[in-house]
Amino acid sequence: MRELFSEVLALQLEYSSENTPAMARRGDLIRNIIPTEMRDWAAAAPGALLPFRGRLNVQGRDGTGLKTFVPWVRIHSPELSPSAQSGWYVVYLFREDGSGVTLGISHGSTRFDGGDFKPRSATEAASLMRWGRGLLGDEASLLGFNEGVDLGSAQKLSRAYEATTAFSKLYPTNDLPSDETLQRDAENAVGLLGQIYRAIELGRSPEADPPEIAEAREAITTIARPKSPSARLSGQGFGLTAAQKQAVEARAMAMAYSWLQANGFDNIKDVHQTHSCDYLARRDNVEHCIEVKGTTAALGKVLLTANEVELHRKSYPHNVLIVVHDINLLDLRTIADGGVVTAFEQWSVAEAQLVPLSYSCILSILE
């Protein structure tokens, strides 16, 4: 791999936007030869991402049509980063001037607006980087990664790459490490990426839905559009397992029960198997419907069924929505711990922002 990287960097000095012989060779290295060899690395094996359970792919690009100044090869989850414009990934960015290649932990730097790829806003990029660095900072530093990246280029896309790279490590052309060091560093980078992916699974990144909402979206897509790419990718080993979901639910129910006891409710009955709510409880001799939602994500969104929404409409104001959020998963991620209780007493559905995930459409049939 060291020799392949060295050849790409030498070809950078012969850069042309046209498909010259030098650029054709660079393209073959970036799109085919390097990814093929890298797929045999331990860093590209699914186990490298633990505790995230998803699979990995290796992809390289040097420009579609016109050749790019900064070619790249990335290791990524096909589910969480289906394209280089979206999601987090580990990436090798070859400097425009051929002076080195950086190993980075980056996020998609652009958005497609229907006609062209546009850099993400500074605010959006800063939010993503602040979150990623906060999650990985100490460990990344111990592994020899530095915050940000300098690609030595004034090109627009190069600046976009710089704005959306959380950590990087530079390999100068005149001091490229051995294959063993390259592979070890890649394993370390992918291990950090696995932590990011797991946090996304748990709904703890700025752009991630809570896992229960993400799973609902995927299930709906699988049923409604079974031939779509996202439907084909569902069920590939990411998301919470059945055991983890049960642990989160049990933790939420236990903490909600304690909250009800501490807040003057008695005659508390667990009715989640027979009713559209989870508890029936009395306070001041008035029965209340209690809905409990548990999530590993922060407080923000919860998933409600149509029956649950209707029940809250009917039972208002004698209803309570209890959200137990920021639940942690310990050991083999099957034991739930922690969590914060936020209770919404006399919760009004009319004042909530309900966002449909799908519709049932009744067609008007002309006779």
Side-chain angles (χ1 to χ4, degrees), residues 125-149:
S127 174
L128 288 167
M129 295 304 101
R130 187 164 49 250
W131 175 79
R133 289 166 184 160
L135 180 68
L136 303 177
D138 291 343
E139 187 172 353
S141 178
L142 289 173
L143 292 172
F145 289 88
N146 300 308
E147 283 194 9
V149 66

Side-chain angles (χ1 to χ4, degrees), residues 34-47:
I34 290 176
T36 297
E37 183 162 329
M38 201 171 286
R39 290 186 185 105
D40 292 330
W41 282 9

Side-chain angles (χ1 to χ4, degrees), residues 10-318:
L11 290 168
Q12 288 293 85
L13 301 179
E14 301 181 53
Y15 171 76
S16 171
S17 62
E18 303 298 324
N19 194 30
T20 63
M23 292 298 94
R25 173 59 179 170
R26 189 189 76 165
D28 193 31
L29 287 164
I30 291 293
R31 287 182 272 108
N32 300 313
I33 297 174
I34 290 176
T36 297
E37 183 162 329
M38 201 171 286
R39 290 186 185 105
D40 292 330
W41 282 9
L49 280 172
L50 292 174
F52 177 77
R53 299 175 296 112
R55 59 197 178 105
L56 285 170
N57 188 34
V58 183
Q59 176 192 39
R61 288 291 183 268
D62 67 326
T64 301
L66 298 179
K67 298 300 179 180
T68 58
F69 288 95
V70 179
W72 50 261
V73 177
R74 71 186 188 119
I75 304 173
H76 67 105
S77 159
E79 294 82 26
L80 296 185
S81 180
S83 77
Q85 286 74 48
S86 64
W88 290 87
Y89 45 83
V90 166
V91 64
Y92 291 92
L93 296 165
F94 294 83
R95 289 173 63 104
E96 177 185 347
D97 61 3
S99 62
V101 56
T102 62
L103 171 61
I105 300 167
S106 302
H107 192 281
S109 62
T110 57
R111 288 189 182 277
F112 188 68
D113 67 357
D116 195 9
F117 288 106
K118 303 292 186 181
R120 291 176 180 269
S121 71
T123 300
E124 183 182 9
S127 174
L128 288 167
M129 295 304 101
R130 187 164 49 250
W131 175 79
R133 289 166 184 160
L135 180 68
L136 303 177
D138 291 343
E139 187 172 353
S141 178
L142 289 173
L143 292 172
F145 289 88
N146 300 308
E147 283 194 9
V149 66
D150 180 3
L151 296 176
S153 171
Q155 299 297 323
K156 182 172 67 173
L157 279 180
S158 297
R159 293 300 189 193
Y161 292 148
E162 291 175 347
T164 53
T165 295
F167 298 98
S168 69
K169 177 178 291 191
L170 173 64
Y171 304 122
T173 300
N174 59 4
D175 192 25
L176 290 176
S178 66
D179 280 10
E180 291 75 14
T181 298
L182 288 172
Q183 290 193 43
R184 183 178 65 250
D185 286 350
E187 289 179 50
N188 290 336
V190 170
L192 295 172
L193 179 66
Q195 294 185 43
I196 289 178
Y197 282 170
R198 188 55 180 170
I200 293 171
E201 281 189 312
L202 298 176
R204 293 178 177 175
S205 79
E207 55 184 6
D209 278 328
E212 53 276 3
I213 293 180
E215 183 180 10
R217 290 186 192 278
E218 291 160 9
I220 290 167
T221 299
T222 300
I223 294 169
R225 301 185 63 199
K227 295 182 180 180
S228 72
S230 56
R232 292 195 297 270
L233 290 175
S234 66
Q236 295 292 333
F238 59 96
L240 300 188
T241 66
Q244 290 166 348
K245 294 173 191 174
Q246 291 172 2
V248 169
E249 180 182 0
R251 178 66 178 173
M253 290 289 284
M255 293 189 72
Y257 189 93
S258 297
W259 184 91
L260 291 169
Q261 287 183 314
N263 284 272
F265 288 90
D266 56 26
N267 196 26
I268 304 168
K269 300 177 182 178
D270 183 341
V271 295
H272 77 275
Q273 293 186 340
T274 57
H275 290 60
S276 293
C277 62
D278 293 296
Y279 288 113
L280 290 176
R282 302 185 74 84
R283 187 169 63 184
D284 299 329
N285 208 32
V286 177
E287 187 172 73
H288 290 67
C289 290
I290 316 296
E291 184 70 38
V292 179
K293 294 295 177 182
T295 183
T296 54
L299 181 66
K301 299 178 183 178
V302 295
L303 185 66
L304 293 169
T305 68
N307 286 341
E308 289 169 345
V309 170
E310 185 59 25
L311 181 65
H312 277 282
R313 282 198 178 105
K314 291 180 177 178
S315 59
Y316 177 82
H318 306 302

